[in-house]
Amino acid sequence: MSCAMKSLVEDNDRYLKSFQLFLERSSEHKCMQDFIHGILPDILASVGEGKANLNVMGVGSGAGEIDLEMFSQLHLKHPAVTVDNQVVEPSAQQLHLYKVLVSQKPNLDYIKFTWNKMTATEFEKHWRENHLTKKMDFIHMIQMLYYVKDPGATVTFYQSLLDRNGKLLVILVSDESGWGKLWRTFRTQLCNTEISQCVTTGDIKAYLDSKTVSYQSYKLPSQMDITECFTEGDQRGELLLDFLTEVLDFSSTAPPELKRGVLDLLKTLDCSKEVDGRVIFNNTLEVLVVDPLQ
């Protein structure tokens, strides 16, 4: 990444604003909800195997909306069980929103929440230093492996926490999405080398295959309206461009040829399609459900 450009994650307020706009403009949460209600219940039915209490962990849980959707399905499959839920989330603001959501939601008495204001890496260090041995029945890592230094090692550590019938659920952008094409083309100019910002499920599958780890995969078609990105000076367009490139104030700090290259690529069929005069970006996600270490 050019030294004149800063990573979007360095400005938490702008990151959260751009993320919120991304959620409004994309079908991301909708495609996740379709998966949670359609496919996840059968996966959750296989965890726990008759236990009275299940250990669950959310790594990078954000404000908790998706977590609670999953818990509703878990409760339907295992109505008699209690749940110990470890929430791992570095943003104080997001953790606060999660706690507010829990306080407003009825019938969550069966869940005990433990709040860990930590990154995935800090939590791993904490776990190792305290020699913790508790095993997990279900761990989910949704859209968070971009923010660790070594995604493969992170997956392996959290996989090692799984109990015999446990499952690790990973959701990332698919390598067939517009993100995959954008990152393959501009990886050296855009990607923050301190974290693995440009990782896709293609990278994780290659890693798991190299370790002969068994997993199942599910594509989640999703899209995002990025039309405003092509209107110079449009504030929402600039926020979306920041989110797409993960660069803070991309429009004003990127070299002109990089900005032009990114905008040209975003309009190609490799990344987007035009629908009724709108530019619709391919935001396809992929779910990986990883089995325990053998």
Side-chain angles (χ1 to χ4, degrees), residues 41 90 107 112 128 135 140-141 162 165 170 191 203 205 229 241 248 256 287:
N107 306 320
K112 178 192 170 204
R128 291 184 190 281
K135 288 294 184 183
H140 53 89
M141 312 174 83
L162 292 176
N165 292 304
V170 173
C191 293
D203 301 305
K205 287 193 287 189
C229 292
L241 264 179
L248 182 62
V287 180

Side-chain angles (χ1 to χ4, degrees), residues 122-132:
E122 288 165 347
F123 187 80
E124 178 178 344
K125 186 167 179 270
H126 160 77
W127 193 275
R128 291 184 190 281
E129 285 176 351
N130 288 281
H131 307 292
L132 301 176

Side-chain angles (χ1 to χ4, degrees), residues 36-83:
I36 288 166
H37 293 274
I39 295 170
L40 185 63
D42 288 341
I43 295 166
L44 293 175
S46 69
V47 307
E49 204 185 46
K51 290 182 181 177
N53 183 76
L54 295 178
N55 293 316
V56 175
M57 183 183 294
V59 187
S61 284
E65 302 101 320
I66 296 294
D67 287 30
L68 295 192
E69 291 262 0
M70 290 192 285
F71 278 124
S72 69
Q73 296 304 313
L74 182 70
H75 195 48
L76 286 172
K77 287 293 177 186
H78 303 279
V81 306
T82 55
V83 174

Side-chain angles (χ1 to χ4, degrees), residues 132-178:
L132 301 176
T133 56
K134 189 177 188 177
K135 288 294 184 183
M136 295 288 146
D137 299 295
F138 182 57
I139 301 174
H140 53 89
M141 312 174 83
I142 296 176
Q143 292 285 52
M144 56 68 59
L145 284 173
Y146 317 109
Y147 308 109
V148 299
K149 182 78 175 167
D150 186 338
T154 300
V155 167
T156 294
F157 168 72
Y158 284 96
Q159 183 196 18
S160 76
L161 305 186
L162 292 176
D163 208 350
R164 194 161 47 98
N165 292 304
K167 296 288 181 187
L168 169 63
L169 180 122
V170 173
I171 301 182
L172 285 173
V173 294
S174 162
D175 53 336
E176 295 167 19
S177 68

Side-chain angles (χ1 to χ4, degrees), residues 1-57:
M1 184 186 281
S2 152
C3 57
M5 299 192 298
K6 290 185 175 175
S7 176
L8 179 60
V9 293
E10 291 181 33
D11 184 333
N12 192 51
D13 283 348
R14 189 160 175 91
Y15 172 79
L16 289 175
K17 260 188 209 165
S18 66
F19 177 59
Q20 200 52 49
L21 182 60
F22 160 73
L23 290 180
E24 289 167 20
R25 290 302 164 86
S26 78
S27 58
E28 173 145 327
H29 272 188
K30 169 74 168 65
C31 77
M32 285 188 196
Q33 285 164 343
D34 290 346
F35 171 80
I36 288 166
H37 293 274
I39 295 170
L40 185 63
D42 288 341
I43 295 166
L44 293 175
S46 69
V47 307
E49 204 185 46
K51 290 182 181 177
N53 183 76
L54 295 178
N55 293 316
V56 175
M57 183 183 294

Side-chain angles (χ1 to χ4, degrees), residues 87-100:
V87 179
V88 180
E89 168 56 51
S91 165
Q93 188 177 349
Q94 295 287 83
L95 272 180
H96 171 71
L97 291 172
Y98 195 151
K99 290 175 184 177
V100 169

